[in-house]
Amino acid sequence: MSRFRRLRSVGAPTLAIAAVLALAACTPGASSSPASNKAPSGRVVTDAAKLGKVQLSVLDYFTGGTDATWMKDVVAAFHKKYPNITVNRTSMSWGDVMQALPLKLKSSNPPDIVPANNGWQSLGTLVQGHLVLNLDRYAKSYGWRSQVPTSIQREHEFSDDGKQMGTGSLFGMPVARSSMIEAYYNRALLHRIGATVPRTLGDFESDLAKAKAAGVTPISLGNLEQVGITGPLYSVMNALGQQDKISDLIYSQNGVKITDPATGFPAAVAAVKGWADKGYFTKQFSSVAGQDAAQDFVDGKALFRFDYSGSLPLKPGQSKGFGSFVLPNQHGGAPVATNSSATNFSVSEKSKHAAAAAAFLNFAASKQAAQMAVSTGTMPMLDPDVKAGNGDPLFSDDVSNAAEVSSKNASVPYLDWATPTLLTTMQTKMQDLLAGKTSTADVVKAAQADDATFQAKLAK
Amino acid sequence: MSSTTVSTSTAASGAAERDQISRPPPRRIKGAGNGSRPWLGLLYLLPALVVYVLVVIVPAGQGVWLSFFHWDGVTRATWAGFGNYTGFFSDPTLREAVTHTLYFILFFSVLPIALGLLSAALASRKNVRGAAVYRSVIFLPQMLTPAVTAVVWKRIYAPNGPINSVLRDIGLGGLARGWLGDYTWALPALGIAGTWAAFGLCMVLCISGMQAIPTELYDAARVDGAGAIREFFTVTLPGLRGTLSVVLTLTVLGAIRVFDIVWLTTRGGPGISTITPTIVLYQRAFANPDIGAAAAIGVVLAVVSLIVTLVIVRLSDSEAR
């Protein structure tokens, strides 16, 4: 026993040191990537039928439910249209995709199409590492720039050096499905408190007061896991701020700071705090699990709920009791929504079938794909003409919200795309604020500090 | 510890069983390879050693190497020196996380061992009817996946959960609160969940350890006029030294590594009041991504775990001699 131990105590460190020395030759991340993200020039083949036999591999995070159904339908329809192209899907959970994506793209045989998440945590870093293809020449040939609303295009844009977001070339494409933060309401409860669907922000706040007075929980919120607060916070920010300032803030353009009142952020933090103090959120929301709060809303225990489209745990037939809207803007005009495509699809830099991949991206963003989204009961995007036909009132609301935001070009990106750490910073500080442990000014200051740190890092 | 003592049957009479177990099993003495050709033994070890080096040593070396860089996982890394390690002193979040680890050692290790020892001592003094059933029930949390444990405790601590219902029913409604959302109570609440999960393992190991203590020692203590408590401290506790070092190692390492129950309930909140080093590691590795900083946390945790293990083993060894 003692003999073996002595052997080990010498052996393990020696081996570890040997391993480290063997590794010392290489700096992490220093692989042989192309030096530039500039788009190759020249026209491309846009008739996918002329591309010959192609096996296209696609990675996605549509592992189940309507997500998977839609993707399956789109793949089948694409193959039917272009029998020469076979699409091979691999589906992994969102978390797994995000963890594995850099390694997959660096491997010698990466998937042709990948779901890099917008923002700095994924797509921005991949652009900096030259791992995803500049899609500009395909955009030109297919006319994507005129087809996609500019506020959605910007979500997929980066400068060639990957140091700026929301400007420059397209490094990804949206699909014809929307992921949007909306306000949901309970029709029966709204009727009971004698209110109607709010047309102005003032209406909304008076509905909250009426509900409270009538003993109805005004807004369902469960913030135990820290994530619940983003829905209300972003919605109020969009209602109070100016759309272009919010976008510039998130894309770090034109020197807009999060402390700037025009972004709506400082006022939104204060408003959410005010609502919490007035008891407008679920009782003891800081200890309520997010799913429990969502279930309570579906069970008719709250008037409003801010949530991502398609996230309510509704059973078949339940949706007729509910409706949805985008929180009205205090400046009037079209309501602004935190909205992006249900996935961003990018093409691997190393893909040998970039033309076929672009043809698939084009198809996944088409009206036909939007129609398939509607028929599987998920929110469409890009095409305002697509209508819900199944007589489900909640889904009809969703589809018309999506159409309005799309046609009015009224999307802003998710605030947490601004820096990789902002989501954690905000969630933590908001919890502190709502528990009375810190001030509104401190939350804004922390967010600003987070942003400043990241800007300094980017500038290097 | 090498004997087959993890028997949980109480059907046999206690004395006979103890007698049987107290006799050490015959040990085969190997003469070959003793001194003459020491490298032959290594040759037998080689296949296992190769696998061990490939899956443990090399990645560990890579982790150490990565911890000296600022790296986002994609673009070219820049040399950081010990920059990622200074975070343990300068980063308030990480400092907070480290102090929480000390709390968790109390709840995941000290408390379950104390409770396990107590219940094992009680159980071994008298044959309780259906003791095996109790033991299985207490051991059950050990077999549940952490995800299930997290969901269960989320329910238990919910504002309308069973704890608060009971408090309200017995007229202590003023004490009812959302336990996991409370800055003061979230950490102890998660700690108690950890105690619950580790208690069974501690108890079962202690019982098996006690069964290995020769009955003669108890007889001798009784002849000398020792009572139950005296018996526990002079016979049982010293006899359990080996067992306790194993239990202590397992549970302290569990406390240092605690992740799932926190991530699946509070994500380190409210604020950062339940954050642990592993939560910070996860955030830096996969959300931020700042892989060097994450690797540095991993390296520090590994080194601390190693030191803790060595200290525990050394202490129990030296006392045994």
Side-chain angles (χ1 to χ4, degrees):
Chain A
M1 187 64 194
S2 63
R3 195 188 155 81
F4 177 60
R5 196 178 284 158
R6 202 179 316 130
L7 175 77
R8 233 186 20 178
S9 63
V10 179
T14 316
L15 285 169
I17 290 163
V20 169
L21 288 179
L23 283 161
C26 58
T27 302
S31 58
S32 53
S33 322
S36 160
N37 271 324
K38 287 216 164 37
S41 53
R43 301 289 294 178
V44 293
V45 183
T46 52
D47 184 359
K50 292 185 184 144
L51 290 170
K53 269 217 167 320
V54 177
Q55 295 278 339
L56 206 55
S57 58
V58 180
L59 179 68
D60 63 59
Y61 45 73
F62 296 143
T63 49
T66 46
D67 282 341
T69 316
W70 176 80
M71 189 65 187
K72 208 175 108 232
D73 290 354
V74 168
V75 165
F78 181 72
H79 184 60
K80 200 174 164 199
K81 194 169 174 189
Y82 304 111
N84 55 320
I85 304 179
T86 311
V87 176
N88 304 309
R89 277 182 67 201
T90 308
S91 289
M92 290 159 73
S93 75
W94 193 85
D96 289 347
V97 168
M98 289 310 136
Q99 289 173 22
L101 200 50
L103 285 176
K104 277 191 178 287
L105 285 171
K106 281 180 185 176
S107 74
S108 55
N109 189 22
D112 296 299
I113 296 173
V114 293
N117 195 28
N118 311 64
W120 293 112
Q121 289 183 338
S122 180
L123 187 56
T125 317
L126 297 175
V127 172
Q128 286 176 8
H130 309 302
L131 292 174
V132 288
L133 195 66
N134 182 324
L135 297 173
D136 270 358
R137 65 174 180 156
Y138 299 102
K140 206 169 168 192
S141 306
Y142 282 106
W144 289 342
R145 293 285 190 181
S146 53
Q147 176 197 346
V148 180
T150 50
S151 59
I152 294 294
Q153 278 181 41
R154 284 189 82 184
E155 298 182 347
H156 307 265
E157 285 175 355
F158 284 89
S159 61
D160 286 347
D161 61 0
K163 297 270 185 190
Q164 292 186 68
M165 178 166 58
T167 180
S169 303
L170 280 178
F171 284 89
M173 259 296 272
V175 298
R177 277 184 53 209
S178 201
S179 176
M180 190 156 105
I181 297 180
E182 294 176 283
Y184 293 89
Y185 66 95
N186 182 311
R187 290 178 194 274
L189 288 180
L190 196 68
H191 185 75
R192 201 171 95 195
I193 63 161
T196 52
V197 178
R199 298 268 162 236
T200 66
L201 195 60
D203 285 356
F204 181 73
E205 295 213 72
S206 74
D207 285 0
L208 295 178
K210 276 186 205 162
K212 181 74 189 165
V216 172
T217 301
I219 303 172
S220 134
L221 171 67
N223 201 33
L224 176 61
E225 303 92 343
Q226 304 193 321
V227 288
I229 200 67
T230 51
L233 182 65
Y234 294 0
S235 296
V236 180
M237 182 178 172
N238 297 340
L240 297 175
Q242 296 167 19
Q243 188 190 345
D244 55 338
K245 297 287 182 193
I246 298 172
S247 300
D248 280 350
L249 162 70
I250 298 167
Y251 297 133
S252 315
Q253 300 285 322
N254 301 324
V256 177
K257 289 204 166 112
I258 200 160
T259 47
D260 185 342
T263 62
F265 184 75
V269 172
V272 168
K273 167 72 173 156
W275 291 357
D277 290 347
K278 286 179 191 157
Y280 285 173
F281 292 120
T282 301
K283 219 172 155 190
Q284 293 190 301
F285 57 86
S286 59
S287 314
V288 175
Q291 275 177 328
D292 291 350
Q295 190 59 50
D296 280 355
F297 175 73
V298 167
D299 292 345
K301 292 181 188 156
L303 176 60
F304 294 115
R305 176 172 174 82
F306 293 97
D307 213 333
Y308 300 77
S309 45
S311 300
L312 289 180
L314 291 163
K315 292 194 190 75
Q318 262 184 327
S319 64
K320 57 180 178 294
F322 301 92
S324 65
F325 60 92
V326 177
L327 199 61
N329 198 305
Q330 72 159 359
H331 309 290
V336 174
T338 300
N339 179 30
S340 75
S341 159
T343 185
N344 158 76
F345 271 146
S346 292
V347 177
S348 165
E349 169 73 40
K350 291 181 188 158
S351 171
K352 294 180 183 73
H353 313 293
F360 182 78
L361 261 47
N362 186 58
F363 188 78
S366 66
K367 185 171 183 174
Q368 197 181 342
Q371 198 64 58
M372 286 178 209
V374 174
S375 38
T376 52
T378 67
M379 220 154 129
M381 193 159 94
L382 306 175
D383 208 308
D385 301 334
V386 173
K387 295 273 183 292
N390 60 0
D392 174 339
L394 174 58
F395 189 55
S396 299
D397 280 359
D398 282 350
V399 173
S400 71
N401 293 339
E404 188 180 12
V405 168
S406 212
S407 62
K408 301 266 172 66
N409 197 16
S411 302
V412 289
Y414 288 79
L415 176 61
D416 44 85
W417 294 356
T419 91
T421 48
L422 188 58
L423 186 63
T424 309
T425 304
M426 245 171 4
Q427 287 174 344
T428 312
K429 286 289 168 188
M430 282 305 287
Q431 258 182 339
D432 287 344
L433 173 70
L434 298 179
K437 303 263 169 195
T438 190
S439 65
T440 304
D442 193 46
V443 176
V444 178
K445 211 172 98 189
Q448 166 58 26
D450 186 297
D451 196 30
T453 310
F454 180 67
Q455 292 310 320
K457 209 165 132 194
L458 257 192
K460 268 188 203 160
Chain B
M1 271 314 288
S2 58
S3 56
T4 54
T5 50
V6 195
S7 150
T8 51
S9 146
T10 52
S13 91
E17 194 181 7
R18 254 182 243 146
D19 195 17
Q20 182 202 344
I21 284 163
S22 65
R23 220 178 298 127
R27 197 172 280 177
R28 249 194 267 162
I29 315 285
K30 265 196 223 160
N34 219 0
S36 52
R37 276 174 294 175
W39 289 99
L40 193 64
L42 267 188
L43 199 64
Y44 288 124
L45 272 181
L46 194 64
L49 214 55
V50 167
V51 173
Y52 182 73
V53 166
L54 281 181
V55 303
V56 178
I57 301 292
V58 170
Q62 281 175 322
V64 173
W65 182 238
L66 281 175
S67 70
F68 293 111
F69 286 90
H70 294 299
W71 191 37
D72 59 17
V74 176
T75 55
R76 198 183 169 87
T78 53
W79 182 255
F82 284 93
N84 289 323
Y85 288 93
T86 54
F88 275 93
F89 305 103
S90 60
D91 183 345
T93 308
L94 204 47
R95 278 212 312 256
E96 181 95 14
V98 171
T99 49
H100 293 162
T101 300
L102 299 179
Y103 276 91
F104 279 126
I105 288 177
L106 176 70
F107 280 106
F108 280 56
S109 183
V110 179
L111 267 182
I113 290 177
L115 287 173
L117 211 51
L118 182 71
S119 53
L122 291 177
S124 66
R125 284 195 66 80
K126 205 167 174 227
N127 280 325
V128 187
R129 269 175 71 89
V133 176
Y134 293 131
R135 256 177 264 165
S136 326
V137 168
I138 295 176
F139 191 71
L140 194 70
Q142 203 65 38
M143 295 186 283
L144 296 176
T145 61
V148 174
T149 311
V151 170
V152 168
W153 282 97
K154 245 165 138 168
R155 266 293 125 72
I156 292 174
Y157 286 131
N160 293 318
I163 291 187
N164 288 332
S165 307
V166 169
L167 284 176
R168 286 185 197 110
D169 287 349
I170 59 173
L172 293 174
L175 294 179
R177 65 193 72 226
W179 298 92
L180 291 176
D182 190 289
Y183 280 73
T184 313
W185 288 101
L187 193 61
L190 287 179
I192 287 169
T195 307
W196 170 81
F199 167 43
L201 178 76
C202 296
M203 187 193 71
V204 167
L205 288 179
C206 286
I207 288 177
S208 71
M210 284 177 191
Q211 284 170 342
I213 298 173
T215 40
E216 292 85 350
L217 293 179
Y218 286 97
D219 295 340
R222 269 172 219 154
V223 167
D224 288 345
I229 294 172
R230 177 96 201 208
E231 211 177 285
F232 176 79
F233 281 104
T234 52
V235 180
T236 312
L237 210 51
L240 279 181
R241 193 176 282 132
T243 308
L244 284 180
S245 85
V246 170
V247 177
L248 200 61
T249 310
L250 285 177
T251 51
V252 169
L253 293 192
I256 291 174
R257 288 183 320 204
V258 60
F259 174 76
D260 358 45
I261 188 151
V262 180
W263 186 252
L264 293 170
T265 51
T266 63
R267 299 228 167 171
I272 51 169
S273 60
T274 58
I275 204 157
T276 67
T278 45
I279 299 265
V280 181
L281 187 158
Y282 183 85
Q283 285 171 344
R284 306 235 160 123
F286 299 116
N288 289 0
D290 184 354
I291 290 173
I297 298 173
V299 168
V300 170
L301 289 185
V303 170
V304 169
S305 303
L306 202 67
I307 292 172
V308 166
T309 313
L310 285 177
V311 167
I312 294 173
V313 169
R314 191 53 57 87
L315 278 180
S316 66
D317 261 16
S318 64
E319 281 174 28
R321 258 175 223 138

